Structures are given as C-alpha cells and as structure tokens.
Amino acid sequence: MEFDSFRGILFDLDDTLIDFKQSEQISLHNCYRAFFAEKVGFEAFEKQYTQINRALWKAVEEGKCSTTHVGQERFRQLADLFGVPFHSKVPLYYEQQLVQHATWISGAEAFLQKIQRQKIKIGYLTNGFSHVQQSKFRNLGLDRFSNILVISEEVGVPKPHPAIFHHALQLLGTKAEETLMVGDSLVSDGQGARSVGMKFCWYNPSRIPPPDWTPDLILTQLSS
Ligand SMILES: [Mg+2]
C-alpha cells in the first residue's frame, strides 16, 4: 500500500509531526525551576506530573472530563501534593513553554512536502489545547501544507471518538475509505481511524512491538 493510493491524509501532530516529548521535557524543567524547586526534587515532581497527566488524559479519552479541565487541574493537583500555592499563571507559563520549544520531528517537513507534491489532501487532527496547538501550527508554518486543523478542545470530543474523525473527514472532503490516518498512538489515532473505516499508518520510531492487530502501514521514520 502506497501513500498515493489515498485521496487524503490526516496527520496527528504531537510526536508524529511535532516533537512533543522534547518540548515537554524542557517545559517541565523550566516550570519546575520557576514554581516547585523549593519544595520537591525534580525526579519526584516529574514522576507525579506524569501520573497525574496520564490519568487526566485517560479520563478525557473516556469522556469523563474535558480537555480544558486538564490544563489547570494537573498543576492544581501538583500544587496540593507539594504544598505550593496554586496560581493560574503556572499552567499558562507551562503552555507558553510548550509552544516556545515546539520543533519538527526529524524529516516531517520534507515528508509533508512530498505528500503535497503528490496532490494528496492534507489535514491535521490533534488532541490538545486550542491555543497551544494553534500557536504551534502558526510558528512551524504548518499552514503551508493545509489549513485544516481539527483540535479536540474545539470539537468537544477527543480522538479516538468517531465524531472527531467524521468532522475532520467532512472538512477534508474525502471519504473514510480513501483517507489515511498517520499517528503515533495506537489508541487515539489507530483505533479511532479503524472505527470509522479509515486505514491507519502507525508512526513507530521507537520500534515498539506491534499490537495484537496489524496497522495497515508502519513507518519507523519520516523520509522524503
Ligand atoms: Mg501523537
């Protein structure tokens, strides 16, 4: 199966086109230094952040809480845990850091150029905060390839919910069966795409063993 057998491709953003892990690492460090360093060591801070953040995003995927809630709540819980007064400038600072340190995944820009040359319609489908994702979209110039940017906070439901895939397909103007989803998450990207009849390309740079179902395509790097 080749990419040019599709009329449209929907790309996940974080850790597929944009190096989220790296920006998260830098942003957490800076946030820690600015607000938490007097009360706790970085390792304990990072461990708790990871646990709290994961639990909140899981609740979002399960429809138990909203994306908007996550941004404030994770730092409210951390502040409570470590006895630091909570202030809304903490999540704001963290999110500004995420935008400031967002960079391309190696090869992603050239990969998009190749897809664009093949006249395949491109769209972006991301779980995240509207203002953060919009800023990264602008800063990295993702609009050179497409203006279709679907963000879970704006739609009201996250991937893997079928409704957000249907919404993105409608904007892209292609049918599910002629559209490929490219993403690093087997759940939000993979299961979501499959549930609406789209094919799925798993971006798997760490070469994690495949799940008990086989993605239609697997890429270990983005190359032109
Ligand atoms: Mg991702």
Coordinates of all heavy atoms in Angstrom, one line a residue, residues 89-161:
K89 N -1.2 31.2 36.7 CA -0.1 31.6 35.9 C 0.8 30.3 35.7 O 1.7 30.3 34.8 CB 0.7 32.7 36.4 CG 1.5 32.4 37.7 CD 2.2 33.7 38.2 CE 2.9 33.4 39.5 NZ 3.4 34.6 40.2
V90 N 0.7 29.3 36.6 CA 1.6 28.1 36.4 C 1.2 27.4 35.1 O 2.1 27.2 34.3 CB 1.5 27.2 37.6 CG1 2.4 26.0 37.5 CG2 1.8 28.0 38.9
P91 N 0.0 26.9 34.9 CA -0.4 26.3 33.7 C -0.1 27.2 32.4 O 0.3 26.7 31.4 CB -1.8 25.9 33.8 CG -2.4 26.6 35.0 CD -1.2 26.9 35.8
L92 N -0.3 28.4 32.6 CA -0.1 29.4 31.5 C 1.3 29.4 31.1 O 1.7 29.3 29.9 CB -0.6 30.8 31.9 CG -0.9 31.8 30.8 CD1 -2.1 31.3 30.0 CD2 -1.2 33.2 31.4
Y93 N 2.2 29.5 32.1 CA 3.6 29.5 31.8 C 4.1 28.2 31.1 O 4.8 28.2 30.2 CB 4.4 29.7 33.2 CG 5.9 29.6 33.0 CD1 6.7 30.6 32.6 CD2 6.5 28.4 33.4 CE1 8.0 30.5 32.5 CE2 7.9 28.3 33.3 CZ 8.7 29.3 32.8 OH 10.0 29.2 32.7
Y94 N 3.6 27.1 31.7 CA 3.9 25.8 31.1 C 3.5 25.7 29.6 O 4.3 25.3 28.8 CB 3.3 24.7 31.9 CG 3.5 23.3 31.4 CD1 4.8 22.7 31.4 CD2 2.5 22.6 30.8 CE1 5.0 21.5 30.9 CE2 2.7 21.3 30.3 CZ 4.0 20.8 30.3 OH 4.2 19.5 29.8
E95 N 2.3 26.2 29.3 CA 1.8 26.1 28.0 C 2.6 27.0 27.0 O 2.9 26.7 25.9 CB 0.3 26.4 27.9 CG -0.5 25.2 28.5 CD -1.8 25.5 29.0 OE1 -2.4 26.6 28.7 OE2 -2.4 24.7 29.9
Q96 N 3.0 28.2 27.5 CA 3.8 29.1 26.7 C 5.2 28.4 26.4 O 5.7 28.5 25.3 CB 4.1 30.4 27.5 CG 2.9 31.3 27.5 CD 3.1 32.5 28.5 OE1 4.0 32.4 29.3 NE2 2.2 33.4 28.4
Q97 N 5.7 27.7 27.4 CA 7.0 27.0 27.2 C 6.8 25.9 26.1 O 7.7 25.7 25.3 CB 7.4 26.3 28.5 CG 7.8 27.3 29.6 CD 9.2 28.0 29.2 OE1 10.1 27.3 29.0 NE2 9.2 29.3 29.2
L98 N 5.7 25.2 26.2 CA 5.4 24.1 25.2 C 5.4 24.7 23.8 O 6.0 24.1 22.8 CB 4.1 23.5 25.4 CG 3.9 22.4 26.5 CD1 2.5 21.9 26.6 CD2 4.9 21.3 26.3
V99 N 4.8 25.8 23.6 CA 4.8 26.5 22.3 C 6.2 26.9 21.9 O 6.6 26.6 20.8 CB 3.8 27.7 22.3 CG1 3.9 28.5 21.0 CG2 2.4 27.2 22.5
Q100 N 6.9 27.6 22.8 CA 8.2 28.1 22.5 C 9.2 27.0 22.1 O 10.0 27.3 21.3 CB 8.7 28.8 23.8 CG 9.8 29.8 23.5 CD 10.2 30.4 24.9 OE1 9.4 30.8 25.7 NE2 11.5 30.6 25.0
H101 N 9.1 25.9 22.7 CA 10.1 24.8 22.4 C 9.6 23.8 21.4 O 10.3 22.7 21.3 CB 10.5 24.2 23.7 CG 11.2 25.2 24.7 ND1 12.4 25.6 24.4 CD2 10.7 25.8 25.8 CE1 12.7 26.5 25.4 NE2 11.7 26.6 26.2
A102 N 8.5 24.0 20.8 CA 8.0 23.0 19.8 C 8.9 23.0 18.5 O 9.2 24.1 18.0 CB 6.6 23.3 19.4
T103 N 9.3 21.8 18.1 CA 10.1 21.7 16.9 C 9.6 20.5 16.1 O 8.8 19.7 16.6 CB 11.6 21.4 17.3 OG1 11.6 20.3 18.1 CG2 12.3 22.6 17.9
W104 N 10.0 20.5 14.8 CA 9.6 19.4 13.9 C 10.2 18.1 14.4 O 11.4 18.1 14.8 CB 10.1 19.7 12.5 CG 9.4 20.8 11.8 CD1 9.8 22.1 11.6 CD2 8.2 20.7 11.1 NE1 8.9 22.7 10.9 CE2 7.9 21.9 10.5 CE3 7.3 19.6 10.8 CZ2 6.8 22.2 9.7 CZ3 6.2 19.9 10.1 CH2 5.9 21.1 9.5
I105 N 9.5 17.0 14.2 CA 10.1 15.7 14.2 C 11.0 15.6 13.0 O 10.7 16.1 11.9 CB 9.0 14.6 14.1 CG1 8.2 14.5 15.4 CG2 9.5 13.2 13.6 CD1 8.8 13.6 16.4
S106 N 12.2 15.0 13.1 CA 13.1 14.9 12.0 C 12.5 14.3 10.8 O 11.9 13.2 10.8 CB 14.3 14.0 12.5 OG 15.1 13.7 11.4
G107 N 12.6 15.0 9.7 CA 12.0 14.5 8.4 C 10.6 14.9 8.1 O 10.1 14.7 7.0
A108 N 9.9 15.4 9.1 CA 8.4 15.6 9.0 C 8.1 16.7 7.9 O 7.2 16.5 7.1 CB 7.8 16.0 10.3
E109 N 8.9 17.7 7.9 CA 8.6 18.8 7.0 C 8.8 18.4 5.5 O 7.9 18.6 4.7 CB 9.6 20.0 7.3 CG 9.1 21.3 6.9 CD 10.0 22.4 7.4 OE1 11.0 22.1 8.0 OE2 9.7 23.6 7.1
A110 N 9.9 17.7 5.3 CA 10.1 17.1 3.9 C 9.1 16.1 3.5 O 8.7 16.0 2.4 CB 11.5 16.5 3.9
F111 N 8.7 15.4 4.5 CA 7.6 14.3 4.3 C 6.3 15.0 3.8 O 5.7 14.6 2.9 CB 7.4 13.5 5.6 CG 6.5 12.3 5.4 CD1 7.1 11.2 4.9 CD2 5.2 12.4 5.8 CE1 6.3 10.0 4.7 CE2 4.4 11.2 5.6 CZ 4.9 10.1 5.1
L112 N 5.9 16.1 4.5 CA 4.7 16.8 4.1 C 4.9 17.4 2.7 O 3.9 17.4 1.9 CB 4.4 17.9 5.1 CG 3.8 17.5 6.4 CD1 3.8 18.7 7.4 CD2 2.4 16.9 6.3
Q113 N 6.1 17.9 2.4 CA 6.3 18.4 1.0 C 6.1 17.4 0.0 O 5.5 17.6 -1.1 CB 7.7 19.0 0.9 CG 7.8 20.4 1.6 CD 9.3 20.8 1.9 OE1 10.2 20.0 1.7 NE2 9.4 22.0 2.4
K114 N 6.5 16.2 0.3 CA 6.4 15.0 -0.7 C 4.9 14.7 -0.9 O 4.4 14.6 -2.0 CB 7.1 13.8 -0.1 CG 7.0 12.6 -1.1 CD 7.8 11.4 -0.6 CE 7.0 10.7 0.5 NZ 7.6 9.4 0.8
I115 N 4.2 14.7 0.2 CA 2.7 14.4 0.2 C 2.0 15.5 -0.6 O 1.1 15.2 -1.5 CB 2.1 14.2 1.6 CG1 2.8 13.1 2.4 CG2 0.6 14.0 1.5 CD1 2.6 11.7 1.8
Q116 N 2.4 16.7 -0.4 CA 1.8 17.8 -1.1 C 2.1 17.7 -2.6 O 1.2 18.0 -3.4 CB 2.4 19.1 -0.5 CG 1.6 20.4 -0.9 CD 2.2 21.6 -0.2 OE1 3.4 21.7 -0.1 NE2 1.4 22.4 0.3
R117 N 3.3 17.4 -3.0 CA 3.6 17.2 -4.4 C 2.8 16.1 -5.1 O 2.5 16.2 -6.3 CB 5.1 16.8 -4.6 CG 6.1 18.0 -4.5 CD 7.4 17.7 -5.1 NE 8.1 16.5 -4.4 CZ 8.8 16.7 -3.3 NH1 9.0 17.9 -2.8 NH2 9.4 15.6 -2.8
Q118 N 2.4 15.1 -4.3 CA 1.6 14.1 -4.8 C 0.1 14.4 -4.9 O -0.8 13.6 -5.2 CB 1.7 12.8 -4.0 CG 3.1 12.2 -4.1 CD 3.4 11.0 -3.1 OE1 2.7 10.9 -2.1 NE2 4.3 10.2 -3.5
K119 N -0.2 15.7 -4.6 CA -1.6 16.2 -4.7 C -2.6 15.5 -3.8 O -3.8 15.4 -4.1 CB -2.1 16.2 -6.1 CG -1.2 16.8 -7.2 CD -1.4 18.3 -7.3 CE -0.6 19.0 -8.4 NZ 0.3 20.0 -7.9
I120 N -2.1 15.0 -2.7 CA -3.0 14.3 -1.7 C -3.4 15.4 -0.7 O -2.6 16.2 -0.3 CB -2.2 13.2 -1.0 CG1 -1.7 12.2 -2.0 CG2 -3.1 12.6 0.1 CD1 -0.7 11.2 -1.4
K121 N -4.7 15.4 -0.4 CA -5.2 16.4 0.5 C -4.7 16.1 1.9 O -4.7 15.0 2.4 CB -6.8 16.4 0.6 CG -7.4 16.9 -0.7 CD -8.9 16.9 -0.4 CE -9.6 17.5 -1.6 NZ -11.1 17.5 -1.4
I122 N -4.3 17.2 2.6 CA -3.7 17.1 3.9 C -4.5 17.8 5.0 O -5.1 18.8 4.7 CB -2.3 17.7 3.9 CG1 -1.3 16.9 3.0 CG2 -1.7 17.8 5.4 CD1 0.0 17.6 2.8
G123 N -4.7 17.1 6.1 CA -5.4 17.7 7.3 C -4.6 17.3 8.6 O -3.8 16.4 8.6
Y124 N -4.9 18.1 9.6 CA -4.3 17.7 10.9 C -5.4 17.5 11.9 O -6.4 18.2 12.0 CB -3.4 18.9 11.4 CG -2.4 19.4 10.4 CD1 -2.6 20.7 9.8 CD2 -1.3 18.7 10.1 CE1 -1.7 21.2 8.9 CE2 -0.4 19.2 9.1 CZ -0.6 20.4 8.5 OH 0.3 20.9 7.6
L125 N -5.2 16.4 12.7 CA -6.2 16.0 13.7 C -5.5 15.7 15.0 O -4.7 14.8 15.1 CB -6.9 14.8 13.2 CG -8.0 14.1 14.1 CD1 -9.0 15.1 14.5 CD2 -8.7 13.0 13.3
T126 N -5.7 16.6 16.0 CA -4.9 16.5 17.2 C -5.8 16.6 18.5 O -6.8 17.4 18.5 CB -3.9 17.7 17.2 OG1 -3.2 17.7 18.5 CG2 -4.5 19.0 17.0
N127 N -5.4 15.9 19.5 CA -5.9 16.0 20.9 C -5.1 17.1 21.6 O -3.9 16.9 21.7 CB -5.9 14.7 21.6 CG -7.0 13.8 21.2 OD1 -7.8 14.1 20.4 ND2 -7.0 12.6 21.8
G128 N -5.7 18.1 22.0 CA -4.9 19.1 22.8 C -5.7 20.4 23.0 O -6.9 20.5 22.7
F129 N -4.9 21.4 23.5 CA -5.5 22.7 23.8 C -5.5 23.5 22.6 O -4.5 23.6 21.9 CB -4.7 23.3 25.0 CG -4.5 22.5 26.2 CD1 -3.3 21.9 26.5 CD2 -5.6 22.1 26.9 CE1 -3.2 21.1 27.6 CE2 -5.5 21.3 28.1 CZ -4.3 20.8 28.4
S130 N -6.6 24.2 22.4 CA -6.7 25.0 21.2 C -5.6 26.0 21.1 O -4.9 26.1 20.0 CB -8.1 25.7 21.2 OG -8.2 26.5 20.1
H131 N -5.4 26.9 22.1 CA -4.4 27.9 21.9 C -3.0 27.4 21.7 O -2.2 28.0 21.0 CB -4.5 28.9 23.1 CG -4.2 28.3 24.4 ND1 -5.2 27.6 25.1 CD2 -3.2 28.4 25.2 CE1 -4.7 27.2 26.2 NE2 -3.5 27.6 26.3
V132 N -2.7 26.3 22.4 CA -1.3 25.7 22.3 C -1.1 25.2 20.9 O -0.1 25.5 20.2 CB -1.1 24.6 23.3 CG1 0.2 23.9 23.1 CG2 -1.1 25.2 24.7
Q133 N -2.1 24.4 20.4 CA -1.9 23.7 19.1 C -2.0 24.8 18.0 O -1.2 24.7 17.0 CB -3.0 22.7 18.9 CG -3.0 21.5 19.9 CD -1.7 20.8 20.1 OE1 -0.7 21.4 20.6 NE2 -1.6 19.6 19.6
Q134 N -2.9 25.8 18.1 CA -2.9 26.9 17.1 C -1.6 27.6 17.0 O -1.1 27.9 15.9 CB -4.0 27.9 17.5 CG -5.5 27.4 17.4 CD -6.1 27.4 16.0 OE1 -5.4 27.8 15.0 NE2 -7.3 27.1 15.9
S135 N -1.0 27.9 18.2 CA 0.3 28.6 18.2 C 1.4 27.8 17.5 O 2.2 28.3 16.8 CB 0.7 29.0 19.6 OG -0.3 29.8 20.2
K136 N 1.4 26.5 17.8 CA 2.5 25.6 17.2 C 2.3 25.5 15.7 O 3.2 25.6 15.0 CB 2.4 24.2 17.9 CG 2.8 24.3 19.4 CD 3.2 22.9 19.9 CE 2.0 22.0 20.0 NZ 2.3 20.8 20.9
F137 N 1.0 25.4 15.3 CA 0.6 25.4 13.9 C 1.2 26.6 13.2 O 1.8 26.5 12.1 CB -0.9 25.3 13.9 CG -1.5 25.4 12.5 CD1 -1.6 24.3 11.7 CD2 -2.1 26.6 12.1 CE1 -2.2 24.4 10.4 CE2 -2.7 26.7 10.9 CZ -2.8 25.6 10.0
R138 N 1.0 27.8 13.8 CA 1.4 29.0 13.2 C 3.0 29.1 13.2 O 3.6 29.4 12.2 CB 0.9 30.2 13.9 CG -0.5 30.6 13.5 CD -0.8 32.0 14.0 NE -0.6 32.2 15.4 CZ -1.5 31.9 16.4 NH1 -2.7 31.4 16.0 NH2 -1.2 32.1 17.6
N139 N 3.6 28.8 14.4 CA 5.0 29.0 14.5 C 5.8 28.1 13.5 O 6.8 28.5 13.0 CB 5.5 28.7 15.9 CG 5.0 29.8 16.9 OD1 4.4 30.8 16.5 ND2 5.3 29.6 18.2
L140 N 5.3 26.9 13.3 CA 6.1 26.0 12.5 C 5.6 26.1 11.0 O 6.2 25.4 10.1 CB 5.8 24.5 13.0 CG 6.4 24.2 14.3 CD1 6.1 22.8 14.7 CD2 8.0 24.3 14.3
G141 N 4.6 26.9 10.7 CA 4.2 27.1 9.4 C 3.5 25.9 8.8 O 3.6 25.6 7.6
L142 N 2.8 25.2 9.6 CA 2.0 24.0 9.1 C 0.9 24.4 8.1 O 0.5 23.6 7.3 CB 1.4 23.3 10.3 CG 2.3 22.4 11.1 CD1 1.8 22.2 12.5 CD2 2.6 21.1 10.4
D143 N 0.6 25.7 8.1 CA -0.5 26.2 7.2 C 0.1 26.2 5.7 O -0.7 26.3 4.8 CB -1.0 27.5 7.6 CG 0.1 28.6 7.7 OD1 1.3 28.2 7.7 OD2 -0.2 29.8 7.8
R144 N 1.4 26.0 5.5 CA 1.9 25.9 4.1 C 1.4 24.6 3.5 O 1.3 24.5 2.2 CB 3.4 25.7 4.2 CG 4.2 27.1 4.4 CD 5.6 26.8 4.6 NE 5.9 26.2 5.9 CZ 7.0 25.4 6.1 NH1 7.9 25.2 5.2 NH2 7.1 24.9 7.3
F145 N 1.0 23.6 4.3 CA 0.5 22.4 3.7 C -1.0 22.2 3.8 O -1.6 21.5 3.0 CB 1.2 21.2 4.4 CG 2.7 21.4 4.5 CD1 3.4 21.8 5.6 CD2 3.5 21.2 3.3 CE1 4.8 22.0 5.6 CE2 4.9 21.4 3.3 CZ 5.5 21.8 4.5
S146 N -1.6 22.8 4.8 CA -3.1 22.7 4.9 C -3.6 23.7 6.0 O -2.9 24.0 7.0 CB -3.4 21.3 5.3 OG -4.8 21.2 5.6
N147 N -4.8 24.2 5.8 CA -5.4 25.0 6.8 C -6.4 24.2 7.6 O -7.1 24.7 8.4 CB -6.1 26.2 6.2 CG -5.1 27.3 5.9 OD1 -4.3 27.6 6.7 ND2 -5.0 27.7 4.6
I148 N -6.5 22.9 7.3 CA -7.5 22.1 8.0 C -6.8 21.6 9.3 O -6.0 20.7 9.3 CB -8.0 20.9 7.2 CG1 -8.7 21.4 5.9 CG2 -8.9 19.9 8.0 CD1 -8.9 20.4 4.9
L149 N -7.2 22.2 10.4 CA -6.6 21.9 11.7 C -7.8 21.6 12.7 O -8.5 22.5 13.0 CB -5.8 23.1 12.2 CG -5.3 23.0 13.7 CD1 -4.4 21.8 13.9 CD2 -4.6 24.3 14.1
V150 N -7.9 20.3 13.0 CA -9.0 19.9 13.9 C -8.5 19.6 15.3 O -7.6 18.7 15.4 CB -9.8 18.7 13.3 CG1 -10.9 18.2 14.3 CG2 -10.3 19.0 12.0
I151 N -8.9 20.4 16.3 CA -8.4 20.2 17.7 C -9.5 19.8 18.6 O -10.6 20.3 18.6 CB -7.8 21.6 18.1 CG1 -6.8 22.2 17.1 CG2 -7.2 21.5 19.5 CD1 -6.4 23.6 17.4
S152 N -9.2 18.8 19.4 CA -10.2 18.2 20.2 C -10.9 19.2 21.2 O -12.1 19.1 21.4 CB -9.6 17.0 21.1 OG -8.6 17.5 21.9
E153 N -10.2 20.1 21.7 CA -10.8 21.1 22.6 C -11.9 21.9 21.9 O -12.9 22.3 22.5 CB -9.7 22.0 23.2 CG -10.4 22.9 24.3 CD -9.4 23.8 25.0 OE1 -8.3 24.1 24.4 OE2 -9.7 24.2 26.2
E154 N -11.7 22.1 20.6 CA -12.7 22.9 19.9 C -13.9 22.1 19.4 O -15.0 22.6 19.4 CB -12.0 23.5 18.6 CG -10.9 24.6 19.0 CD -10.2 25.1 17.8 OE1 -10.6 24.8 16.6 OE2 -9.2 25.8 18.0
V155 N -13.6 20.8 19.1 CA -14.7 19.9 18.7 C -15.5 19.5 19.9 O -16.7 19.2 19.7 CB -14.1 18.7 17.9 CG1 -15.2 17.8 17.5 CG2 -13.3 19.2 16.7
G156 N -14.9 19.3 21.0 CA -15.7 18.9 22.2 C -15.5 17.4 22.5 O -15.8 17.0 23.7
V157 N -15.0 16.6 21.6 CA -14.7 15.2 21.9 C -13.3 14.9 21.3 O -12.9 15.5 20.3 CB -15.7 14.2 21.3 CG1 -17.0 14.2 22.0 CG2 -15.8 14.4 19.8
P158 N -12.5 14.1 22.0 CA -11.2 13.8 21.5 C -11.1 12.5 20.7 O -12.1 11.7 20.7 CB -10.4 13.5 22.9 CG -11.5 12.9 23.7 CD -12.8 13.5 23.3
K159 N -10.0 12.3 19.9 CA -9.7 11.0 19.4 C -9.6 10.0 20.6 O -9.1 10.4 21.6 CB -8.3 11.0 18.7 CG -8.2 12.0 17.5 CD -6.8 11.9 16.9 CE -5.8 12.6 17.7 NZ -4.4 12.7 17.1
P160 N -10.0 8.8 20.5 CA -10.5 8.1 19.3 C -12.0 8.1 19.0 O -12.5 7.3 18.3 CB -10.1 6.6 19.7 CG -10.3 6.6 21.2 CD -10.0 7.9 21.7
H161 N -12.7 9.1 19.6 CA -14.1 9.2 19.4 C -14.4 9.3 17.9 O -13.8 10.2 17.2 CB -14.7 10.4 20.1 CG -16.1 10.3 20.4 ND1 -17.0 10.5 19.3 CD2 -16.9 10.2 21.5 CE1 -18.3 10.4 19.8 NE2 -18.2 10.2 21.1

